[in-house]
């Protein structure tokens, strides 16, 4: 100690000097800081917090020492620094308002919230909190890091991915259900012969199941796998939706199979189209086409309109690439072509979401009609040239290349090659090699007339949407084509008209005539022919619904005969419930409440027995059409009252509302095949 300090201490022992020194230090601390120190060497000190003015006075004129370094600070100082009690709470750390779905500008990937939380928590403390430029106040300005924590436990309804072997363990039950229940719904009319779905798709699925399980065949083609998993998904979906209880297959398990099997089928189908269309790993053409047909059926059943449309286009592309490129086709390949043709033509008849306002289509339409008009002036080989353009996908705006302005010779037959390559039935001539009667009990003429009506309607809608002035020759061609098509449709419908199919009333007791029970296929064909008349006058002529009521009655009577035939013939009771196409066409035009209620009840009865997307969607569309028409009529009758809340333009549009307007407004496609 210095001599000055030693002179001020009392001259006594060393202990007395230390005690006096300690007393003077305490007295000095009380004077400046009003602090109270307890224990040896003032280990525990209680002091009042200095005011900002005191800090200013104390540091004025003195050099400011650098702050504590985080690495060398004591544990008590670090605890104070990392005390989140005054800065961040638990709700701040797990702020539900923070969204991690979008990456920050510097990040090139999305990070799961729980992963981000674990990564930050695992960092060393000195890297998380680093003093910058010697200023501890920057910690107060730091934005709190917020995290969003989701429920760790998956919800009970979350889909569970099943392994291939787990799915295939239920393959036998599901394939039997596919054969006995699902396949009959693919027939629009009851038929006595086996369906192509059974003799080809189902048997191929059984063989693939054996190859993938107990036979352990390596390198099973993706096309075969897609067909198998697609068939299993169809059965599982139907069982889960109808709550059908099967032995050893709970409904909950079927729901899991649907999610896993449909995903597997989609993956294998995409891989097959990508790698098995050509090259050394090429799959059989029939296997690929079977797989696509199965995927169309699955997408239709699940009402996945986008996938169904894509698979239809893929099927046409594959058919033109591999099928029509062959000079000869086997009977099985032709059967698959016929299945595709039915799906495509009937599907196109209710697909009205084309870009009709696209002006680029006008030259294409005019050139197509020009080729049609000039066909008679060409050589035979030249006349067949447009039909042999197999690489171009069909937009259903083409016209019959054999058709001229003169009346077509329907008695002429198509050549074998022309019949094989006419997959969308643009050629109205007859073909001796057709198989539609054997497969569907429907003549090829009916499908061809549906195709021709759809094409002509698309051309007319495109012209109306573009509001262009048609050339006189072009307009005349459309009128002639419409007149010829009308004559052929009415002629076909008159051959199966129901006016002569019922016995006359009994003369003695005045009772109504007894309904003659006929095969259900004949009754459904009558319904289809009458519905085709309605379809033509709605798409082409756009007539008032009242004009069509006679044809609506024809469809209803034919459907009643169909139900009687199903009840009379036991072999058809577990089969098809009939296509909803005629009921939809007639129901949208029905005006009386009794007719509407009967058609609704017929569709509801069919949908309860067999789960099909067509029956369910028809009811909703028809009710929307009725709602708009009836609402516009009621508004027109009460236009002088206050209840009229429709604008004149809206009222006029609703009075003319048809299923076409409803589908366009809702951007919906009813798949009625």
């Amino acid at each position: 100690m210095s001599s000055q300090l030693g002179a001020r201490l009392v001259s006594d022992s060393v202990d007395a000097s230390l005690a006096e020194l300690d007393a003077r230090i305490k007295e000095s601390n009380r004077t400046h800081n009003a602090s109270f120190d307890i224990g040896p060497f003032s280990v525990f000190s209680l002091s009042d917090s200095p005011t900002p003015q005191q800090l200013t006075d104390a540091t004025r004129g003195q050099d400011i020492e650098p702050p504590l370094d985080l690495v060398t600070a004591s544990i008590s100082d670090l605890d104070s620094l990392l005390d989140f009690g005054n800065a961040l709470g638990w709700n701040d750390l797990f702020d539900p308002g923070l969204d991690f779905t979008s990456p920050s500008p510097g990040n090139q990937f999305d990070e799961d919230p729980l992963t981000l939380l674990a990564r930050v928590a695992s960092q060393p403390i000195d890297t998380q909190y680093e003093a910058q430029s010697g200023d501890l106040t920057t910690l107060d300005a730091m934005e709190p890091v917020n995290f969003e924590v989701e429920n760790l436990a998956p919800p009970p309804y979350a889909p569970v991915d099943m392994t291939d072997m787990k799915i295939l363990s239920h393959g036998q039950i599901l394939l039997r259900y596919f054969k006995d229940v699902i396949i009959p719904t693919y027939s629009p009319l009851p038929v006595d012969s086996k369906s192509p779905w059974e003799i080809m798709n189902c048997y191929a699925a059984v063989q693939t199941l054996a190859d993938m399980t107990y036979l352990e065949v390596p390198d099973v083609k993706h096309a075969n796998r897609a067909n198998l998993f697609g068939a299993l998904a169809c059965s599982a979906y139907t069982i889960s939706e109808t709550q059908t209880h099967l032995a050893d297959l709970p409904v909950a398990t079927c729901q899991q199979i649907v999610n896993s099997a449909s995903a597997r089928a989609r993956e294998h189908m995409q891989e097959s189209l990508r790698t098995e269309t050509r090259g050394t790993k090429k799959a059989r053409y029939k296997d690929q086409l079977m797989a696509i047909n199965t995927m169309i059926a699955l997408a239709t059943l699940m009402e996945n309109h986008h996938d169904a449309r894509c698979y239809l286009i893929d099927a046409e592309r594959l058919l033109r690439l591999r099928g029509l490129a062959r000079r000869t086709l086997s009977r099985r390949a032709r059967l698959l072509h016929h299945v595709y043709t039915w799906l495509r033509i009937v599907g196109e008849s209710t697909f009205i979401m084309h870009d009709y306002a696209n002006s680029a289509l006008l030259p294409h339409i005019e050139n197509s009609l020009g080729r049609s008009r000039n066909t008679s002036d060409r050589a035979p080989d030249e006349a067949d040239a447009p039909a042999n353009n197999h690489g171009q996908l069909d937009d259903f705006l083409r016209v019959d290349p054999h058709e001229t302005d003169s009346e077509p010779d329907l008695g002429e037959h198509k050549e074998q090659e022309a019949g094989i390559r006419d997959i969308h039935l643009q050629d109205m001539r007859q073909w001796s090699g057709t198989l539609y009667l054997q497969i569907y009990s429907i003549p090829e003429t009916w499908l061809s007339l549906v195709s021709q009506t759809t094409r002509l309607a698309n051309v007319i809608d495109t012209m109306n949407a573009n509001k262009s002035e048609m050339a006189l020759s072009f307009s005349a061609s459309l009128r002639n084509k419409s007149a010829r098509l009308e004559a052929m449709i009415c002629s076909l419908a008159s051959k199966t008209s129901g006016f002569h199919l019922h016995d006359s009333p009994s003369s003695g007791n005045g009772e109504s005539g007894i309904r003659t029970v006929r095969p259900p296929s004949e009754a459904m064909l009558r319904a289809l022919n009458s519905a085709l008349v309605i379809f033509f006058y709605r798409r082409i002529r756009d007539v008032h619904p009242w004009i069509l009521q006679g044809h609506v009655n024809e469809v209803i009577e034919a459907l009643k005969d169909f139900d009687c035939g199903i009840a009379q013939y036991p072999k058809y009771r577990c089969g098809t419930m009939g296509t909803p196409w005629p009921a939809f066409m007639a129901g949208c035009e029905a005006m009386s409440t009794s007719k509407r209620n009967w058609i609704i009840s017929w569709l509801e009865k069919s949908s309860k027995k067999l789960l099909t997307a067509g029956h369910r969607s028809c009811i909703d569309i028809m009710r929307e059409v009725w709602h708009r028409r009836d609402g516009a009529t009621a508004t027109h009758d009460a236009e002088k009252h206050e209840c009229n809340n429709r604008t004149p333009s809206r009222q006029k549009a609703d009075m003319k509302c048809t299923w076409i307007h409803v589908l366009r407004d809702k951007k919906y496609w009813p798949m009625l095949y």
Side-chain angles (χ1 to χ4, degrees):
M1 77 183 55
S2 64
S3 58
Q4 182 181 1
L5 179 59
R8 295 174 58 185
L9 295 176
V10 295
S11 298
D12 206 339
S13 62
V14 175
D15 293 336
S17 297
L18 290 176
E20 183 180 358
L21 179 61
D22 188 54
R24 289 185 180 186
I25 293 175
K26 292 181 179 180
E27 182 66 21
S28 177
N29 290 339
R30 291 191 185 97
T31 303
H32 293 90
N33 300 330
S35 60
F36 299 92
D37 303 323
I38 303 174
F41 300 100
S42 302
V43 173
F44 185 74
S45 176
L46 297 177
S47 61
D48 296 335
S49 300
T51 62
Q53 183 64 30
Q54 291 173 336
L55 290 176
T56 303
D57 296 339
T59 59
R60 184 175 295 156
Q62 301 179 8
D63 294 334
I64 301 177
E65 297 181 356
L68 285 173
D69 184 66
L70 289 179
V71 179
T72 59
S74 67
I75 189 63
S76 59
D77 293 328
L78 192 59
D79 289 340
S80 306
L81 185 63
L82 304 182
D83 182 15
F84 293 101
N86 298 329
L88 296 176
W90 194 251
N91 292 332
D92 296 319
L93 285 174
F94 304 101
D95 182 12
L98 187 62
D99 186 12
F100 283 94
T101 57
S102 300
S104 60
N107 293 341
Q108 300 299 324
F109 58 94
D110 296 328
E111 192 166 18
D112 182 76
L114 293 178
T115 305
L116 179 61
L117 178 60
R119 178 175 59 81
V120 174
S122 62
Q123 291 181 356
I125 294 180
D126 56 346
T127 61
Q128 295 182 37
Y129 305 96
E130 181 178 355
Q132 301 178 3
S133 66
D135 187 4
L136 291 178
T137 59
T138 56
L139 293 175
D140 298 332
M142 290 177 59
E143 290 290 336
V145 181
N146 300 332
F147 304 97
E148 179 183 5
V149 175
E150 300 176 355
N151 188 8
L152 297 178
Y157 52 83
V160 178
D161 190 22
M162 302 178 67
T163 63
D164 289 359
M165 290 298 103
K166 184 64 175 178
I167 298 173
L168 298 180
S169 64
H170 305 284
Q172 183 177 356
I173 300 176
L174 293 175
L175 286 181
R176 185 184 300 113
Y177 190 88
F178 182 75
K179 173 181 175 294
D180 296 338
V181 180
I182 304 297
I183 288 180
T185 65
Y186 297 156
S187 299
L189 275 70
V191 292
D192 296 327
S193 59
K194 288 186 177 181
S195 169
W197 292 91
E198 179 180 351
I199 63 178
M200 299 188 69
N201 294 70
C202 187
Y203 287 173
V206 172
Q207 180 63 48
T208 306
L209 176 64
D211 292 342
M212 295 180 63
T213 53
Y214 59 87
L215 292 181
E216 298 181 355
V217 175
D219 300 330
V220 178
K221 295 294 183 181
H222 291 287
N224 301 103
R225 293 172 183 261
N227 178 62
L228 172 60
F229 284 112
L232 298 180
C234 287
S235 297
Y237 180 81
T238 305
I239 295 172
S240 62
E241 290 295 318
T242 57
Q243 298 295 309
T244 303
H245 297 282
L246 299 178
D248 301 329
L249 190 58
V251 174
T253 303
C254 288
Q255 294 173 350
Q256 298 176 3
I257 294 176
V258 171
N259 298 323
S260 301
S262 59
R264 300 289 199 288
R266 187 182 302 107
E267 294 170 0
H268 287 300
M269 189 73 259
Q270 293 175 350
E271 190 65 22
S272 177
L273 293 176
R274 189 162 46 242
T275 62
E276 295 180 346
T277 303
R278 56 170 60 93
T280 57
K281 297 182 179 180
K282 181 172 62 175
R284 293 198 310 171
Y285 168 63
K286 293 189 288 291
D287 292 340
Q288 280 191 310
L289 194 53
M290 278 191 293
I292 291 185
N293 288 342
T294 302
M295 297 305 298
I296 295 172
L298 176 61
T300 304
L301 186 63
M302 302 179 69
E303 295 191 77
N304 191 333
H305 307 88
H306 178 269
D307 285 3
R309 185 69 179 175
C310 291
Y311 287 131
L312 279 172
I313 302 302
D314 285 339
E316 180 189 357
R317 184 180 291 107
L318 177 67
L319 195 145
R320 294 184 181 277
L321 179 64
R322 299 192 62 182
L324 300 186
R326 303 183 179 186
R327 300 194 61 87
T328 58
L329 284 177
S330 64
R331 177 181 173 83
R332 286 177 172 258
R334 288 167 51 204
L335 285 174
L336 292 174
H337 284 200
H338 282 61
V339 171
Y340 160 78
T341 299
W342 166 264
L343 297 174
R344 184 65 186 275
I345 292 180
V346 178
E348 288 287 342
S349 67
T350 55
F351 186 84
I352 46 82
M353 292 186 292
H354 297 284
D355 185 13
Y356 296 105
N358 187 1
S359 59
L361 296 176
L362 295 179
H364 171 69
I365 295 173
E366 293 177 355
N367 293 335
S368 179
L369 285 177
R371 289 195 304 268
S372 176
R373 291 194 301 270
N374 297 331
T375 302
S376 59
D377 300 332
R378 299 178 182 177
D381 294 340
E382 281 184 59
D384 292 338
N388 294 332
N389 186 11
H390 310 309
Q392 182 181 1
L393 296 179
D394 192 2
D395 52 10
F396 273 74
L397 286 172
R398 306 179 194 175
V399 295
D400 181 10
H402 293 273
E403 185 180 344
T404 64
D405 288 336
S406 60
E407 192 72 20
D409 185 8
L410 298 181
E412 183 182 356
H413 289 273
K414 288 185 286 189
E415 300 80 5
Q416 180 70 10
E417 183 177 357
I420 291 176
R421 306 191 187 289
D422 188 19
I423 57 175
H424 294 157
L425 304 183
Q426 298 174 243
D427 193 341
M428 291 293 298
R429 296 177 300 170
Q430 300 293 321
W431 181 36
S432 58
T434 182
L435 299 175
Y436 293 103
L437 280 175
Q438 293 90 321
I439 300 174
Y440 297 118
S441 296
I442 296 177
E444 183 180 294
T445 304
W446 186 89
L447 269 177
S448 180
L449 291 173
V450 173
S451 176
Q452 297 292 325
T453 303
T454 302
R455 296 172 187 277
L456 181 59
N458 289 337
V459 171
I460 295 175
D461 289 345
T462 302
M463 302 302 301
N464 293 336
N466 288 275
K467 297 181 180 179
S468 62
E469 295 183 1
M470 293 183 295
L472 293 178
S473 59
F474 185 63
S475 178
S477 296
L478 290 181
R479 287 196 303 269
N480 293 337
K481 184 176 179 62
S482 300
R484 290 193 300 271
L485 197 56
E486 180 180 16
M488 288 185 287
I489 290 175
C490 292
S491 175
L492 179 65
S494 64
K495 296 178 182 178
T496 57
S497 176
F499 290 112
H500 63 280
L501 295 181
H502 299 120
D503 295 337
S504 59
S506 302
S507 58
N509 51 19
E511 295 179 355
S512 59
I514 301 174
R515 185 177 298 274
T516 303
V517 178
R518 297 182 179 275
S521 58
E522 293 184 11
M524 183 56 70
L525 183 58
R526 284 170 42 215
L528 287 170
N529 289 339
S530 298
L532 177 58
V533 177
I534 299 175
F535 177 66
F536 173 84
Y537 282 107
R538 174 53 57 220
R539 291 298 313 269
I540 307 301
R541 303 299 190 195
D542 196 19
V543 299
H544 192 278
W546 186 84
I547 301 177
L548 303 175
Q549 295 310 297
H551 302 291
V552 172
N553 294 336
E554 280 285 320
V555 173
I556 293 177
E557 290 299 322
L559 293 180
K560 290 180 179 179
D561 291 343
F562 174 79
D563 291 343
C564 292
I566 291 293
Q568 183 69 20
Y569 292 85
K571 62 180 179 180
Y572 297 135
R573 291 177 184 175
C574 298
T576 179
M577 293 305 300
T579 172
W581 198 86
F584 173 75
M585 294 299 167
C588 290
E589 308 299 337
M591 298 184 67
S592 67
T593 304
S594 59
K595 295 176 184 177
R596 294 176 177 179
N597 291 339
W598 191 92
I599 293 178
I600 287 291
S601 63
W602 188 85
L603 290 171
E604 288 179 343
K605 177 183 63 177
S606 301
S607 62
K608 289 179 180 179
K609 291 184 178 180
L610 296 174
L611 183 68
T612 55
H615 292 80
R616 299 192 302 269
S617 60
C618 285
I619 297 175
D620 297 333
I621 298 169
M622 290 190 302
R623 284 175 172 166
E624 179 65 20
V625 173
W626 301 337
H627 173 73
R628 294 190 186 184
R629 285 182 183 173
D630 297 346
T633 304
T635 302
H636 178 72
D637 296 338
E639 59 183 358
K640 296 183 180 180
H641 300 279
E642 296 180 356
C643 61
N644 186 2
N645 56 358
R646 293 174 182 247
T647 61
S649 59
R650 173 65 183 277
Q651 177 183 342
K652 183 179 179 180
D654 287 348
M655 290 185 68
K656 297 181 179 180
C657 178
T658 64
W659 58 270
I660 303 171
H661 301 95
V662 173
L663 296 183
R664 285 176 181 167
D665 293 343
K666 294 183 176 296
K667 294 180 174 57
Y668 185 78
W669 175 36
M671 299 170 287
L672 307 183
Y673 41 76

